Amino acid sequence: MLVQFYNVSKIYPNGVKALDDVSLKIDRGEFLFLMGPSGAGKSSFVKMLFREEMPTRGQIFIASRSIVRMKRSEVPKLRRNIGIVFQDFKLLENKTVAENIAFAMEVVGSPHRQIKKRVTQVIKQVGLEGCENTFPGQLSGGEQQRVGIARALANEPLLLIADEPTGNLDIDTSLEIMDLLYDINRKGTTVIMATHARELVKAAHKRVVMLEKGQIISDTQNRYEEQPI
Amino acid sequence: MSLLTIKYFLSEAFKSLYRNRLLTFATIANVAICILILGAAVLLTLNASNIIDNLESDVEIVAFIDKDLADSDEDHLKNKIEKIEGIKSIDFVSKEEGLKRLQEKFGGLEYDLGSTLEENPLRNSFEIQVVDPHQVPEIAKKVEKLSGVYKVNYGQGVVEKLFQVTKWVRIVGLVTIVLLAFGAVFLISTTIRLAIFSRRKEIYLMKLIGATDWFVRMPFFLEGVFLGLIGAVIAILCLAVGYGSIIGHVDTVMFFSIITDMGLLINIYLILLGAGIILGILATYFSLNKFLDV
Ligand SMILES: Nc1ncnc2c1ncn2[C@@H]1O[C@H](COP(=O)(O)OP(=O)(O)OP(=O)(O)O)[C@@H](O)[C@H]1O
Ligand SMILES: [Mg+2]
């Protein structure tokens, strides 16, 4: 089991209850869609996986380690095993594609040789060969998100988290990005993706967890094929 | 820590300094002015203390002896005074000696005090040096009470005033230095805060990727230290040149003593340099924590 949520609630300081007694298990190698209307708590759920937010109540385990009890000094190590893909890409405009990807490895102190090798590898994996020295501003949205995904993959994470990765992209580009994510999942990385896009989810035949008002209202578990959305 | 990491820290720090070069320049100038005034204040205070110390050690008690006291009683009195706690030395000055000194001071050769005055109006006296000048009034009082002592003189009132002035010079000097140090910290931390602010997205990203606090802080620390260091170096150069020329001029003109001890001056400059670095580190530390809490 890679991720375990036990009776997790999240109440923000302003009193908003974003998650309400959520329990959920995610296996290694799974691909999971987190769906639900705006304000359902998808982003809150996702942020607790890498401790950007702490749960108000309940327990969260990743690879059998409680990340609630985890010391502050151990958080960097947790995050190195998690790749994060953002809706707005969050690329550094003053760095080239290769530098943006290398950045993720530099900040965790990887050796120079390894960085060079791995950057070439992930650029190939996301299909951006030839764009190494381009700046993000010169790329299309889809290409920028590929850079974002490559950066998330650079440190070979166990878990890839994508919060609305296609939120800023048109449908064709979104489908290309989805193919890339499936490909990554096939190579063994667990993927959790929060999204609004029903059409993407329908076509995918993957596990879908529906959130509403902070609660899980449905979970297809592994019965992907039977469950029409 | 690998060479690549060190290179990364340095290049990030200098890139940021260059990117905000106008602010960098302004901050260095500000820090330099701060440390310059700080150094000037230190030198001023030290010199004032030095002058005051000299004045203080000049303070002595003169005890005039009753006119009709026998020689043996004078020796006896001397022993009694010597027994009072805090006495450094005691010298007997005969009235003849006293008159001679007066003569030297006022008369010169063409004006003979001795022949003008028919009888020596002075008294035999003891000149008493004390260990701690601050105890002069207290010890003077004890001496005065001894029998055989006609009168005690130590510049009553003047001495107390002098000590008041010394105290205030020291307090004002210290307060000025503390205020200026706060000013410098504020300026550097403003610069660092702006540097951090312009890179807040990057910091957030670094934290989410798994950079340690330490790693995120390091380039900013280097930036802060650099600002403090360069500011301090400029200030010290100005001080050294300025103070050097003051020494050159004052030494020949003025009657009071100015600090010229090169070893002491170099120590002061080194301390100012250290102060610049510490200001930089402190300022960075204060401005950084807020943004690291991701
Ligand atoms: N930092 C915060 N402080 C206070 N309230 C918050 C905070 N973040 C989210 N919320 C609130 O918590 C609730 C859940 O928000 P969340 O962002 O998790 O929803 P979401 O499902 O991701 O929505 P969306 O689809 O619009 O992204 C919302 O009501 C939101 O206003
Ligand atoms: Mg959201």
Side-chain angles (χ1 to χ4, degrees):
Chain A
M1 216 47 80
L2 186 63
V3 179
Q4 292 158 285
F5 272 56
Y6 291 108
N7 308 100
V8 172
S9 295
K10 174 69 189 179
I11 302 166
Y12 284 106
N14 61 2
V16 174
K17 196 171 202 173
L19 284 182
D20 186 4
D21 201 31
V22 168
S23 296
L24 183 71
K25 289 181 182 177
I26 303 167
D27 250 328
R28 277 176 202 273
E30 268 196 88
F31 193 116
L32 180 138
F33 283 110
L34 208 55
M35 286 204 69
S38 190
K42 303 182 293 293
S43 294
S44 301
F45 180 97
V46 154
K47 281 175 183 169
M48 274 186 282
L49 288 166
F50 46 89
R51 234 178 80 155
E52 189 180 340
E53 295 288 350
M54 282 280 259
T56 313
R57 274 192 297 278
Q59 267 298 340
I60 300 171
F61 294 92
I62 291 188
S64 307
R65 296 244 316 116
S66 165
I67 64 169
V68 179
R69 286 198 221 109
M70 181 177 281
K71 276 187 264 155
R72 196 184 138 83
S73 58
E74 293 175 292
V75 172
K77 205 163 162 265
L78 166 78
R79 290 178 177 165
R80 287 170 197 196
N81 285 310
I82 299 177
I84 307 169
V85 179
F86 304 92
Q87 176 172 357
D88 57 356
F89 322 133
K90 293 205 195 304
L91 301 176
L92 301 172
E93 297 298 328
N94 56 347
K95 288 191 196 306
T96 64
V97 167
E99 285 168 350
N100 262 284
I101 300 166
F103 181 70
M105 297 182 77
E106 279 165 12
V107 304
V108 302
S110 304
H112 188 57
R113 280 173 155 264
Q114 196 187 325
I115 293 178
K116 264 185 93 174
K117 202 171 136 218
R118 182 68 184 152
V119 168
T120 315
Q121 231 171 44
V122 286
I123 281 181
K124 187 159 172 255
Q125 190 176 351
V126 300
L128 281 179
E129 297 106 316
C131 297
E132 287 86 351
N133 298 319
T134 317
F135 286 91
Q138 299 166 289
L139 296 174
S140 72
E143 287 166 330
Q144 288 188 46
Q145 191 57 296
R146 284 170 191 271
V147 180
I149 293 170
R151 183 182 61 194
L153 289 177
N155 290 319
E156 304 185 65
L158 283 173
L159 176 61
L160 190 80
I161 295 170
D163 193 355
E164 316 249 15
T166 60
N168 289 1
L169 305 176
D170 62 45
I171 181 69
D172 290 336
T173 315
S174 297
L175 287 170
E176 285 170 27
I177 293 294
M178 290 314 298
D179 283 338
L180 181 55
L181 292 176
Y182 298 145
D183 177 58
I184 290 161
N185 178 241
R186 257 197 305 280
K187 293 195 168 109
T189 309
T190 309
V191 179
I192 298 174
M193 170 171 161
T195 185
H196 283 293
R198 285 169 181 281
E199 54 287 356
L200 294 183
V201 177
K202 255 187 215 167
H205 302 291
K206 302 282 185 191
R207 181 177 173 188
V208 181
V209 171
M210 282 287 263
L211 280 176
E212 208 174 301
K213 296 197 181 104
Q215 292 180 316
I216 295 180
I217 56 163
S218 78
D219 182 352
T220 61
Q221 294 283 2
N222 297 317
R223 294 166 284 124
Y224 314 125
E225 281 78 24
E226 307 157 29
Q227 190 78 23
I229 300 157
Chain B
M1 192 162 41
S2 74
L3 214 63
L4 184 71
T5 314
I6 296 168
K7 212 181 102 197
Y8 168 80
F9 289 152
L10 285 174
S11 84
E12 286 304 306
F14 283 106
K15 255 190 259 167
S16 169
L17 285 168
Y18 181 74
R19 194 161 37 229
N20 306 318
R21 53 194 169 278
L22 203 64
L23 191 68
T24 299
F25 178 77
T27 308
I28 289 178
N30 272 318
V31 171
I33 290 169
C34 263
I35 294 195
L36 187 66
I37 299 174
L38 193 79
V42 169
L43 283 175
L44 235 146
T45 318
L46 279 178
N47 272 303
S49 301
N50 191 36
I51 291 165
I52 284 159
D53 281 346
N54 286 340
L55 287 177
E56 276 176 355
S57 59
D58 280 349
V59 174
E60 60 175 16
I61 303 168
V62 182
F64 295 99
I65 303 165
D66 281 343
K67 268 193 169 154
D68 45 8
L69 209 63
D71 284 0
S72 62
D73 286 340
E74 279 178 352
D75 288 342
H76 191 63
L77 182 60
K78 190 180 175 197
N79 285 339
K80 272 204 224 157
I81 292 172
E82 269 173 341
K83 283 208 189 86
I84 297 173
E85 214 174 301
I87 304 278
K88 193 160 78 184
S89 66
I90 176 165
D91 292 311
F92 178 77
V93 180
S94 69
K95 56 185 177 188
E96 291 77 25
E97 170 75 17
L99 189 66
K100 215 173 100 198
R101 286 191 196 171
L102 263 188
Q103 170 85 35
E104 276 166 15
K105 211 167 180 180
F106 296 111
L109 284 176
E110 67 278 16
Y111 182 65
D112 186 13
L113 262 181
S115 58
T116 316
L117 301 161
E118 289 189 357
E119 191 191 337
N120 187 345
L122 301 179
R123 293 158 186 271
N124 292 337
S125 64
F126 289 119
E127 283 179 1
I128 306 163
Q129 252 88 40
V130 299
V131 178
D132 177 10
H134 291 260
Q135 284 185 326
V136 162
E138 198 185 314
I139 291 172
K141 233 176 252 162
K142 283 184 193 161
V143 174
E144 195 160 29
K145 282 197 193 112
L146 299 171
S147 69
V149 174
Y150 167 72
K151 202 181 154 218
V152 165
N153 208 338
Y154 62 89
Q156 286 92 330
V158 176
V159 172
E160 281 89 346
K161 241 177 231 153
L162 185 62
F163 290 151
Q164 278 292 315
V165 172
T166 354
K167 205 176 91 187
W168 278 105
V169 167
R170 279 175 188 150
I171 290 174
V172 170
L174 207 72
V175 168
T176 315
I177 287 168
V178 168
L179 285 179
L180 288 172
F182 271 109
V185 166
F186 176 76
L187 280 168
I188 300 174
S189 71
T190 304
T191 312
I192 301 291
R193 241 180 263 258
L194 273 166
I196 291 168
F197 190 74
S198 67
R199 289 181 60 201
R200 65 195 180 287
K201 276 188 188 164
E202 207 170 320
I203 293 178
Y204 174 77
L205 199 65
M206 286 166 89
K207 292 289 293 177
L208 288 191
I209 287 168
T212 55
D213 289 351
W214 172 102
F215 190 95
V216 178
R217 274 189 199 127
M218 197 50 82
F220 296 106
F221 264 124
L222 290 180
E223 218 178 306
V225 167
F226 182 80
L227 290 172
L229 194 74
I230 295 301
V233 166
I234 292 172
I236 290 165
L237 286 179
C238 292
L239 264 183
V241 170
Y243 193 71
S245 76
I246 289 177
I247 290 176
H249 284 280
V250 166
D251 226 21
T252 52
V253 180
M254 305 293 238
F255 54 91
F256 59 81
S257 54
I258 186 166
I259 296 173
T260 52
D261 177 2
M262 223 34 213
L264 178 65
L265 288 178
I266 285 173
N267 271 339
I268 292 172
Y269 297 151
L270 284 179
I271 287 169
L272 288 177
L273 198 69
I277 294 170
I278 288 170
L279 289 181
I281 291 176
L282 271 183
T284 315
Y285 191 79
F286 287 138
S287 44
L288 212 58
N289 282 343
K290 203 178 91 196
F291 291 93
L292 277 181
D293 223 12
V294 176

